Amino acid sequence: MDPQRLKDNFSQVATHGIDVAEYFYADLFERNPSYRSLFPASMARQQQVLLGALAQIVSLVDDPQQLIPYVEELGRSHAGSGVDAQHYPEVGASLVATLKYFSGDDWNAELEKNWVEAYGVVADVMIKAADQK
Ligand code: HEM
């Protein structure tokens, strides 16, 4: 995994602001309509916090000492929201689809591999922390 590549790509995608979170949730709920009811009726706050968390994760991607406790806490807080391990691959698929959409011509197989790998690590840590709660 190349941390700088992820950072560069995310900072470019993030220039699209809240549109990124809107696209992500639209894609997630289109593929998985049953997930909608896990979330509050108004998604405005959720869109903001998702972007904030992604930015935080990406900024710490080369600093496991800080990243791991942050992601563990995120995993634990999700356990109280009806989220379980089976949801994670679907969220990962929508995240990658979103990054791809906003990256346009900059997207390539190598970048996709980097994101899939990074998301896999984050998801594993979140799921384990939720299990140990
Ligand atoms: C990289 C993975 C993920 C990130 C960065 C992320 C980010 C966040 C953040 C920052 C919150 C706000 C509260 C908190 O800290 O818990 C949140 C809440 C939530 N997330 Fe996630 N999440 C991820 C994975 C998932 C997955 C796999 C699901 C399953 C569908 C999910 C569903 C939810 C739900 C239902 C809430 C609570 C909404 C509410 O009731 O206010 N998240 N997420």
Side-chain angles (χ1 to χ4, degrees), residues 24-25 28-29 35 37-40 45-46 49-54 57 70 73-78 81-85 87-92 95 119 122-123 126:
F24 166 78
Y25 286 112
L28 184 67
F29 298 150
Y35 289 16
S37 61
L38 293 168
F39 292 89
R45 185 187 163 274
Q46 186 64 30
V49 294
L50 174 79
L51 288 180
L54 289 176
I57 289 169
Y70 176 76
E73 185 51 40
L74 202 55
R76 284 191 288 269
S77 74
H78 277 72
S81 300
V83 175
D84 62 43
H87 295 117
Y88 279 85
E90 300 299 331
V91 165
L95 180 64
Y119 178 81
V122 168
M126 286 178 74

